[in-house]
PDB file of all heavy atoms in Angstrom:
ATOM      1  N   MET A  21      -4.106  23.016 -48.709  1.00 34.00           N
ATOM      2  CA  MET A  21      -4.324  22.667 -50.097  1.00 34.00           C
ATOM      3  C   MET A  21      -3.437  23.475 -51.036  1.00 34.00           C
ATOM      4  O   MET A  21      -3.333  23.170 -52.219  1.00 34.00           O
ATOM      5  CB  MET A  21      -5.798  22.916 -50.468  1.00 34.00           C
ATOM      6  CG  MET A  21      -6.793  22.108 -49.655  1.00 34.00           C
ATOM      7  SD  MET A  21      -6.613  20.342 -49.912  1.00 34.00           S
ATOM      8  CE  MET A  21      -7.235  20.208 -51.580  1.00 34.00           C
ATOM      9  N   ILE A  22      -2.808  24.540 -50.534  1.00 33.00           N
ATOM     10  CA  ILE A  22      -1.997  25.392 -51.392  1.00 33.00           C
ATOM     11  C   ILE A  22      -0.657  24.732 -51.663  1.00 33.00           C
ATOM     12  O   ILE A  22      -0.040  24.180 -50.774  1.00 33.00           O
ATOM     13  CB  ILE A  22      -1.798  26.768 -50.746  1.00 33.00           C
ATOM     14  CG1 ILE A  22      -3.147  27.460 -50.618  1.00 33.00           C
ATOM     15  CG2 ILE A  22      -0.857  27.640 -51.557  1.00 33.00           C
ATOM     16  CD1 ILE A  22      -3.099  28.734 -49.859  1.00 33.00           C
ATOM     17  N   LEU A  23      -0.189  24.813 -52.884  1.00 33.00           N
ATOM     18  CA  LEU A  23       1.082  24.241 -53.278  1.00 33.00           C
ATOM     19  C   LEU A  23       2.111  25.350 -53.412  1.00 33.00           C
ATOM     20  O   LEU A  23       1.795  26.459 -53.821  1.00 33.00           O
ATOM     21  CB  LEU A  23       0.946  23.528 -54.637  1.00 33.00           C
ATOM     22  CG  LEU A  23      -0.158  22.505 -54.758  1.00 33.00           C
ATOM     23  CD1 LEU A  23      -0.181  21.957 -56.173  1.00 33.00           C
ATOM     24  CD2 LEU A  23       0.045  21.381 -53.760  1.00 33.00           C
ATOM     25  N   ARG A  24       3.338  25.008 -53.086  1.00 36.00           N
ATOM     26  CA  ARG A  24       4.414  25.942 -53.374  1.00 36.00           C
ATOM     27  C   ARG A  24       5.456  25.194 -54.205  1.00 36.00           C
ATOM     28  O   ARG A  24       6.299  24.500 -53.686  1.00 36.00           O
ATOM     29  CB  ARG A  24       5.041  26.478 -52.086  1.00 36.00           C
ATOM     30  CG  ARG A  24       5.927  27.701 -52.341  1.00 36.00           C
ATOM     31  CD  ARG A  24       6.583  28.169 -51.053  1.00 36.00           C
ATOM     32  NE  ARG A  24       7.126  29.496 -51.180  1.00 36.00           N
ATOM     33  CZ  ARG A  24       8.254  29.799 -51.796  1.00 36.00           C
ATOM     34  NH1 ARG A  24       8.962  28.850 -52.353  1.00 36.00           N
ATOM     35  NH2 ARG A  24       8.670  31.046 -51.870  1.00 36.00           N
ATOM     36  N   VAL A  25       5.334  25.324 -55.500  1.00 34.00           N
ATOM     37  CA  VAL A  25       6.233  24.624 -56.408  1.00 34.00           C
ATOM     38  C   VAL A  25       6.627  25.577 -57.526  1.00 34.00           C
ATOM     39  O   VAL A  25       5.951  26.567 -57.789  1.00 34.00           O
ATOM     40  CB  VAL A  25       5.576  23.360 -57.010  1.00 34.00           C
ATOM     41  CG1 VAL A  25       5.265  22.342 -55.950  1.00 34.00           C
ATOM     42  CG2 VAL A  25       4.323  23.739 -57.793  1.00 34.00           C
ATOM     43  N   VAL A  26       7.709  25.283 -58.162  1.00 36.00           N
ATOM     44  CA  VAL A  26       8.122  26.076 -59.324  1.00 36.00           C
ATOM     45  C   VAL A  26       7.514  25.458 -60.574  1.00 36.00           C
ATOM     46  O   VAL A  26       7.693  24.277 -60.851  1.00 36.00           O
ATOM     47  CB  VAL A  26       9.653  26.121 -59.442  1.00 36.00           C
ATOM     48  CG1 VAL A  26      10.078  26.832 -60.733  1.00 36.00           C
ATOM     49  CG2 VAL A  26      10.244  26.823 -58.230  1.00 36.00           C
ATOM     50  N   VAL A  27       6.770  26.253 -61.310  1.00 43.00           N
ATOM     51  CA  VAL A  27       6.087  25.788 -62.509  1.00 43.00           C
ATOM     52  C   VAL A  27       6.777  26.383 -63.731  1.00 43.00           C
ATOM     53  O   VAL A  27       7.007  27.577 -63.791  1.00 43.00           O
ATOM     54  CB  VAL A  27       4.609  26.215 -62.501  1.00 43.00           C
ATOM     55  CG1 VAL A  27       3.928  25.842 -63.815  1.00 43.00           C
ATOM     56  CG2 VAL A  27       3.881  25.570 -61.348  1.00 43.00           C
ATOM     57  N   ARG A  28       7.097  25.530 -64.680  1.00 46.00           N
ATOM     58  CA  ARG A  28       7.632  26.023 -65.943  1.00 46.00           C
ATOM     59  C   ARG A  28       6.735  25.582 -67.104  1.00 46.00           C
ATOM     60  O   ARG A  28       7.157  25.544 -68.249  1.00 46.00           O
ATOM     61  CB  ARG A  28       9.056  25.524 -66.164  1.00 46.00           C
ATOM     62  CG  ARG A  28      10.028  26.046 -65.128  1.00 46.00           C
ATOM     63  CD  ARG A  28      11.444  25.614 -65.450  1.00 46.00           C
ATOM     64  NE  ARG A  28      12.372  26.100 -64.449  1.00 46.00           N
ATOM     65  CZ  ARG A  28      12.918  27.310 -64.461  1.00 46.00           C
ATOM     66  NH1 ARG A  28      12.599  28.145 -65.412  1.00 46.00           N
ATOM     67  NH2 ARG A  28      13.753  27.680 -63.508  1.00 46.00           N
ATOM     68  N   GLN A  29       5.507  25.283 -66.789  1.00 43.00           N
ATOM     69  CA  GLN A  29       4.560  24.778 -67.779  1.00 43.00           C
ATOM     70  C   GLN A  29       4.435  25.761 -68.939  1.00 43.00           C
ATOM     71  O   GLN A  29       4.182  26.943 -68.733  1.00 43.00           O
ATOM     72  CB  GLN A  29       3.193  24.576 -67.123  1.00 43.00           C
ATOM     73  CG  GLN A  29       2.140  24.059 -68.081  1.00 43.00           C
ATOM     74  CD  GLN A  29       0.817  23.857 -67.369  1.00 43.00           C
ATOM     75  OE1 GLN A  29       0.719  24.041 -66.188  1.00 43.00           O
ATOM     76  NE2 GLN A  29      -0.189  23.475 -68.117  1.00 43.00           N
ATOM     77  N   LEU A  30       4.652  25.260 -70.133  1.00 49.00           N
ATOM     78  CA  LEU A  30       4.429  25.959 -71.387  1.00 49.00           C
ATOM     79  C   LEU A  30       5.464  27.021 -71.713  1.00 49.00           C
ATOM     80  O   LEU A  30       5.572  27.436 -72.846  1.00 49.00           O
ATOM     81  CB  LEU A  30       3.039  26.632 -71.410  1.00 49.00           C
ATOM     82  CG  LEU A  30       1.830  25.750 -71.174  1.00 49.00           C
ATOM     83  CD1 LEU A  30       0.576  26.583 -71.186  1.00 49.00           C
ATOM     84  CD2 LEU A  30       1.740  24.664 -72.217  1.00 49.00           C
ATOM     85  N   TYR A  31       6.233  27.497 -70.718  1.00 51.00           N
ATOM     86  CA  TYR A  31       7.010  28.709 -70.946  1.00 51.00           C
ATOM     87  C   TYR A  31       8.513  28.506 -70.792  1.00 51.00           C
ATOM     88  O   TYR A  31       9.254  29.470 -70.710  1.00 51.00           O
ATOM     89  CB  TYR A  31       6.537  29.814 -70.001  1.00 51.00           C
ATOM     90  CG  TYR A  31       5.137  30.242 -70.321  1.00 51.00           C
ATOM     91  CD1 TYR A  31       4.073  29.862 -69.524  1.00 51.00           C
ATOM     92  CD2 TYR A  31       4.867  30.998 -71.458  1.00 51.00           C
ATOM     93  CE1 TYR A  31       2.777  30.234 -69.835  1.00 51.00           C
ATOM     94  CE2 TYR A  31       3.594  31.371 -71.780  1.00 51.00           C
ATOM     95  CZ  TYR A  31       2.545  30.990 -70.971  1.00 51.00           C
ATOM     96  OH  TYR A  31       1.274  31.356 -71.293  1.00 51.00           O
ATOM     97  N   GLN A  32       8.972  27.295 -70.753  1.00 53.00           N
ATOM     98  CA  GLN A  32      10.400  27.056 -70.606  1.00 53.00           C
ATOM     99  C   GLN A  32      11.144  27.648 -71.800  1.00 53.00           C
ATOM    100  O   GLN A  32      10.810  27.413 -72.948  1.00 53.00           O
ATOM    101  CB  GLN A  32      10.695  25.562 -70.504  1.00 53.00           C
ATOM    102  CG  GLN A  32      12.154  25.268 -70.192  1.00 53.00           C
ATOM    103  CD  GLN A  32      12.384  23.806 -69.869  1.00 53.00           C
ATOM    104  OE1 GLN A  32      11.464  23.012 -69.977  1.00 53.00           O
ATOM    105  NE2 GLN A  32      13.578  23.473 -69.455  1.00 53.00           N
ATOM    106  N   GLY A  33      12.158  28.458 -71.520  1.00 52.00           N
ATOM    107  CA  GLY A  33      12.945  29.085 -72.564  1.00 52.00           C
ATOM    108  C   GLY A  33      12.335  30.335 -73.146  1.00 52.00           C
ATOM    109  O   GLY A  33      12.914  30.974 -74.016  1.00 52.00           O
ATOM    110  N   ILE A  34      11.139  30.726 -72.657  1.00 51.00           N
ATOM    111  CA  ILE A  34      10.462  31.910 -73.188  1.00 51.00           C
ATOM    112  C   ILE A  34      10.456  33.030 -72.154  1.00 51.00           C
ATOM    113  O   ILE A  34      10.849  34.157 -72.440  1.00 51.00           O
ATOM    114  CB  ILE A  34       9.015  31.582 -73.615  1.00 51.00           C
ATOM    115  CG1 ILE A  34       9.034  30.532 -74.723  1.00 51.00           C
ATOM    116  CG2 ILE A  34       8.287  32.841 -74.060  1.00 51.00           C
ATOM    117  CD1 ILE A  34       7.658  30.068 -75.128  1.00 51.00           C
ATOM    118  N   ALA A  35       9.988  32.714 -70.949  1.00 52.00           N
ATOM    119  CA  ALA A  35       9.843  33.739 -69.917  1.00 52.00           C
ATOM    120  C   ALA A  35      10.840  33.466 -68.794  1.00 52.00           C
ATOM    121  O   ALA A  35      11.118  32.318 -68.460  1.00 52.00           O
ATOM    122  CB  ALA A  35       8.425  33.740 -69.371  1.00 52.00           C
ATOM    123  N   HIS A  36      11.350  34.520 -68.217  1.00 51.00           N
ATOM    124  CA  HIS A  36      12.391  34.394 -67.197  1.00 51.00           C
ATOM    125  C   HIS A  36      11.805  34.668 -65.812  1.00 51.00           C
ATOM    126  O   HIS A  36      12.150  35.634 -65.147  1.00 51.00           O
ATOM    127  CB  HIS A  36      13.541  35.350 -67.512  1.00 51.00           C
ATOM    128  CG  HIS A  36      14.126  35.120 -68.863  1.00 51.00           C
ATOM    129  ND1 HIS A  36      14.863  33.996 -69.174  1.00 51.00           N
ATOM    130  CD2 HIS A  36      14.048  35.845 -70.005  1.00 51.00           C
ATOM    131  CE1 HIS A  36      15.245  34.056 -70.443  1.00 51.00           C
ATOM    132  NE2 HIS A  36      14.759  35.159 -70.960  1.00 51.00           N
ATOM    133  N   HIS A  37      10.905  33.812 -65.395  1.00 55.00           N
ATOM    134  CA  HIS A  37      10.265  33.966 -64.098  1.00 55.00           C
ATOM    135  C   HIS A  37      10.088  32.601 -63.449  1.00 55.00           C
ATOM    136  O   HIS A  37       9.970  31.592 -64.123  1.00 55.00           O
ATOM    137  CB  HIS A  37       8.882  34.623 -64.221  1.00 55.00           C
ATOM    138  CG  HIS A  37       8.889  35.949 -64.907  1.00 55.00           C
ATOM    139  ND1 HIS A  37       8.596  36.080 -66.235  1.00 55.00           N
ATOM    140  CD2 HIS A  37       9.144  37.194 -64.434  1.00 55.00           C
ATOM    141  CE1 HIS A  37       8.672  37.355 -66.571  1.00 55.00           C
ATOM    142  NE2 HIS A  37       9.000  38.046 -65.506  1.00 55.00           N
ATOM    143  N   HIS A  38      10.048  32.603 -62.159  1.00 61.00           N
ATOM    144  CA  HIS A  38       9.501  31.477 -61.416  1.00 61.00           C
ATOM    145  C   HIS A  38       8.031  31.760 -61.176  1.00 61.00           C
ATOM    146  O   HIS A  38       7.621  32.900 -60.971  1.00 61.00           O
ATOM    147  CB  HIS A  38      10.195  31.309 -60.059  1.00 61.00           C
ATOM    148  CG  HIS A  38      11.614  30.852 -60.162  1.00 61.00           C
ATOM    149  ND1 HIS A  38      11.985  29.729 -60.846  1.00 61.00           N
ATOM    150  CD2 HIS A  38      12.739  31.380 -59.635  1.00 61.00           C
ATOM    151  CE1 HIS A  38      13.297  29.576 -60.759  1.00 61.00           C
ATOM    152  NE2 HIS A  38      13.784  30.562 -60.033  1.00 61.00           N
ATOM    153  N   VAL A  39       7.209  30.720 -61.189  1.00 65.00           N
ATOM    154  CA  VAL A  39       5.787  30.865 -60.914  1.00 65.00           C
ATOM    155  C   VAL A  39       5.471  30.036 -59.681  1.00 65.00           C
ATOM    156  O   VAL A  39       5.614  28.819 -59.686  1.00 65.00           O
ATOM    157  CB  VAL A  39       4.940  30.391 -62.111  1.00 65.00           C
ATOM    158  CG1 VAL A  39       3.463  30.540 -61.799  1.00 65.00           C
ATOM    159  CG2 VAL A  39       5.290  31.191 -63.359  1.00 65.00           C
ATOM    160  N   VAL A  40       5.078  30.687 -58.608  1.00 69.00           N
ATOM    161  CA  VAL A  40       4.759  30.004 -57.364  1.00 69.00           C
ATOM    162  C   VAL A  40       3.253  29.808 -57.290  1.00 69.00           C
ATOM    163  O   VAL A  40       2.489  30.768 -57.205  1.00 69.00           O
ATOM    164  CB  VAL A  40       5.255  30.815 -56.145  1.00 69.00           C
ATOM    165  CG1 VAL A  40       4.921  30.078 -54.851  1.00 69.00           C
ATOM    166  CG2 VAL A  40       6.758  31.048 -56.244  1.00 69.00           C
ATOM    167  N   VAL A  41       2.806  28.555 -57.358  1.00 69.00           N
ATOM    168  CA  VAL A  41       1.373  28.268 -57.412  1.00 69.00           C
ATOM    169  C   VAL A  41       0.725  28.537 -56.058  1.00 69.00           C
ATOM    170  O   VAL A  41       1.170  28.033 -55.037  1.00 69.00           O
ATOM    171  CB  VAL A  41       1.128  26.803 -57.830  1.00 69.00           C
ATOM    172  CG1 VAL A  41      -0.355  26.473 -57.791  1.00 69.00           C
ATOM    173  CG2 VAL A  41       1.684  26.561 -59.225  1.00 69.00           C
ATOM    174  N   LEU A  42      -0.336  29.322 -56.069  1.00 73.00           N
ATOM    175  CA  LEU A  42      -1.085  29.598 -54.854  1.00 73.00           C
ATOM    176  C   LEU A  42      -2.340  28.751 -54.749  1.00 73.00           C
ATOM    177  O   LEU A  42      -2.669  28.236 -53.695  1.00 73.00           O
ATOM    178  CB  LEU A  42      -1.481  31.084 -54.796  1.00 73.00           C
ATOM    179  CG  LEU A  42      -0.342  32.098 -54.859  1.00 73.00           C
ATOM    180  CD1 LEU A  42      -0.909  33.495 -54.667  1.00 73.00           C
ATOM    181  CD2 LEU A  42       0.718  31.802 -53.826  1.00 73.00           C
ATOM    182  N   ILE A  43      -3.056  28.611 -55.854  1.00 72.00           N
ATOM    183  CA  ILE A  43      -4.336  27.906 -55.790  1.00 72.00           C
ATOM    184  C   ILE A  43      -4.678  27.362 -57.166  1.00 72.00           C
ATOM    185  O   ILE A  43      -4.530  28.040 -58.175  1.00 72.00           O
ATOM    186  CB  ILE A  43      -5.451  28.838 -55.252  1.00 72.00           C
ATOM    187  CG1 ILE A  43      -6.764  28.086 -55.068  1.00 72.00           C
ATOM    188  CG2 ILE A  43      -5.628  30.065 -56.106  1.00 72.00           C
ATOM    189  CD1 ILE A  43      -7.781  28.871 -54.264  1.00 72.00           C
ATOM    190  N   ARG A  44      -5.084  26.102 -57.202  1.00 68.00           N
ATOM    191  CA  ARG A  44      -5.424  25.464 -58.463  1.00 68.00           C
ATOM    192  C   ARG A  44      -6.813  25.865 -58.922  1.00 68.00           C
ATOM    193  O   ARG A  44      -7.657  26.241 -58.121  1.00 68.00           O
ATOM    194  CB  ARG A  44      -5.335  23.948 -58.324  1.00 68.00           C
ATOM    195  CG  ARG A  44      -3.924  23.429 -58.094  1.00 68.00           C
ATOM    196  CD  ARG A  44      -3.941  21.928 -58.010  1.00 68.00           C
ATOM    197  NE  ARG A  44      -2.611  21.385 -57.795  1.00 68.00           N
ATOM    198  CZ  ARG A  44      -2.355  20.098 -57.689  1.00 68.00           C
ATOM    199  NH1 ARG A  44      -3.337  19.220 -57.754  1.00 68.00           N
ATOM    200  NH2 ARG A  44      -1.117  19.672 -57.497  1.00 68.00           N
ATOM    201  N   ALA A  45      -7.050  25.715 -60.216  1.00 64.00           N
ATOM    202  CA  ALA A  45      -8.316  26.177 -60.771  1.00 64.00           C
ATOM    203  C   ALA A  45      -9.417  25.135 -60.699  1.00 64.00           C
ATOM    204  O   ALA A  45     -10.433  25.323 -60.041  1.00 64.00           O
ATOM    205  CB  ALA A  45      -8.115  26.623 -62.225  1.00 64.00           C
ATOM    206  N   HIS A  46      -9.246  24.006 -61.354  1.00 56.00           N
ATOM    207  CA  HIS A  46     -10.379  23.090 -61.565  1.00 56.00           C
ATOM    208  C   HIS A  46     -10.152  21.769 -60.851  1.00 56.00           C
ATOM    209  O   HIS A  46      -9.940  20.737 -61.464  1.00 56.00           O
ATOM    210  CB  HIS A  46     -10.615  22.885 -63.054  1.00 56.00           C
ATOM    211  CG  HIS A  46     -11.029  24.136 -63.755  1.00 56.00           C
ATOM    212  ND1 HIS A  46     -12.249  24.728 -63.542  1.00 56.00           N
ATOM    213  CD2 HIS A  46     -10.377  24.931 -64.616  1.00 56.00           C
ATOM    214  CE1 HIS A  46     -12.336  25.822 -64.267  1.00 56.00           C
ATOM    215  NE2 HIS A  46     -11.222  25.979 -64.928  1.00 56.00           N
TER     216      HIS A  46
END
C-alpha cells in the first residue's frame, strides 16, 4: 500500500526538497 512518488503538492517553487510518500493519511 506504500507509494513511492515525488510530491510537489502546494510547495512548487518554495521548498527545495523531494517528498517521498510513505503512508497516506485518510
Side-chain angles (χ1 to χ4, degrees):
M21 300 297 289
I22 296 173
L23 307 177
R24 194 183 195 283
V25 296
V26 174
V27 175
R28 296 184 181 275
Q29 180 179 357
L30 304 178
Y31 294 105
Q32 186 171 5
I34 299 175
H36 303 290
H37 304 97
H38 291 306
V39 180
V40 180
V41 176
L42 302 185
I43 185 167
R44 293 182 180 180
H46 296 291

